[in-house]
Amino acid sequence: MTVQRFAIEHLLSMPWKNGGGATREIVCQPPGAGMDAFDWRVSIATIDRPGPFSAFPGIARTIMLLEGCGVRLRSAQAGIDHKLDTPLSPFDFDGSTALDCDLLGGTPTDFNVMVRADRLAAQCRVLRAAHAMPPAPHGLLLAVAGEWTADSDDASRPLKAGEGVWWADTPFGARLTPSGDDAALIAVRIEPRQALQR
């Protein structure tokens, strides 16, 4: 599979069944997999009102605030009481945990990564300086501030804020270079869990 480009502004927004928000899916693998069968999925969501998060047994999740005042995530059973109020600060949690979500003000927008925990592991980093990203079999890059260039062996890919690339089932690495000091880029690497345990 080749590297696929995307822009947030062109993603289709799908309202939640409970009316509490909407999701813009960036990628779900394998293609055509439903919410019970995906290996990994990356999306952007807006949260309109407080309520419970959907549980995803067997899924490892990462959530990160992109815009807004954020949310407070709580689970008495899992001992979680976390304010997601700092933009671009990843928070990892078990998708099977039943979480209650309270808004801290306004309508926040967040970035979400979900992977099948028995097979895959995701590393989600926020880059603010030049970085040589080693190849990973699956992953995603999203420029969230400033402009970036992702240089690989086959191409040079300029990325403006709100633009990105994703890839699956093919090793891809890149030299990531920002255009200024205020740039920020989300880099997600997804690898087989056994590869990380060696």
Side-chain angles (χ1 to χ4, degrees):
M1 178 176 290
T2 58
V3 176
Q4 305 290 319
R5 295 185 67 98
F6 68 91
I8 293 175
E9 65 178 347
H10 296 148
L11 298 176
L12 181 64
S13 180
M14 297 294 292
W16 297 350
K17 290 183 179 180
N18 65 8
T23 295
R24 286 172 285 176
E25 184 177 273
I26 299 173
V27 54
C28 184
Q29 290 291 312
M35 295 305 288
D36 322 344
F38 68 82
D39 287 335
W40 62 276
R41 180 177 186 259
V42 182
S43 63
I44 292 172
T46 54
I47 304 174
D48 295 328
R49 66 186 188 195
F53 268 23
S54 297
F56 289 93
I59 299 298
R61 299 189 62 177
T62 300
I63 186 172
M64 185 187 319
L65 179 65
L66 292 179
E67 297 177 349
C69 296
V71 297
R72 183 180 183 185
L73 303 174
R74 289 184 290 180
S75 169
Q77 181 180 6
I80 294 174
D81 189 346
H82 179 76
K83 283 189 176 181
L84 192 80
D85 57 359
T86 302
L88 304 183
S89 180
F91 175 64
D92 302 323
F93 64 99
D94 184 341
S96 64
T97 302
L99 283 177
D100 286 321
C101 171
D102 292 319
L103 301 185
L104 298 177
T107 301
T109 300
D110 60 55
F111 178 84
N112 300 277
V113 179
M114 298 193 288
V115 300
R116 193 69 56 183
D118 61 343
R119 298 198 293 271
L120 297 171
Q123 178 194 68
C124 188
R125 298 181 59 186
V126 177
L127 305 177
R128 300 183 184 275
H131 176 73
M133 184 187 71
H138 322 278
L140 179 144
L141 303 173
L142 172 60
V144 290
E147 297 183 2
W148 289 75
T149 302
D151 290 315
S152 61
D153 291 339
D154 67 326
S156 179
R157 298 174 175 87
L159 301 174
K160 297 179 181 179
E163 297 179 345
V165 297
W166 63 265
W167 64 97
D169 300 316
T170 184
F172 176 77
R175 298 174 297 281
L176 305 170
T177 308
S179 62
D181 295 335
D182 296 328
L185 178 139
I186 298 171
V188 180
R189 291 166 46 82
I190 299 172
E191 298 184 87
R193 181 162 291 279
Q194 62 268 25
L196 300 180
Q197 294 175 341
R198 286 202 293 260

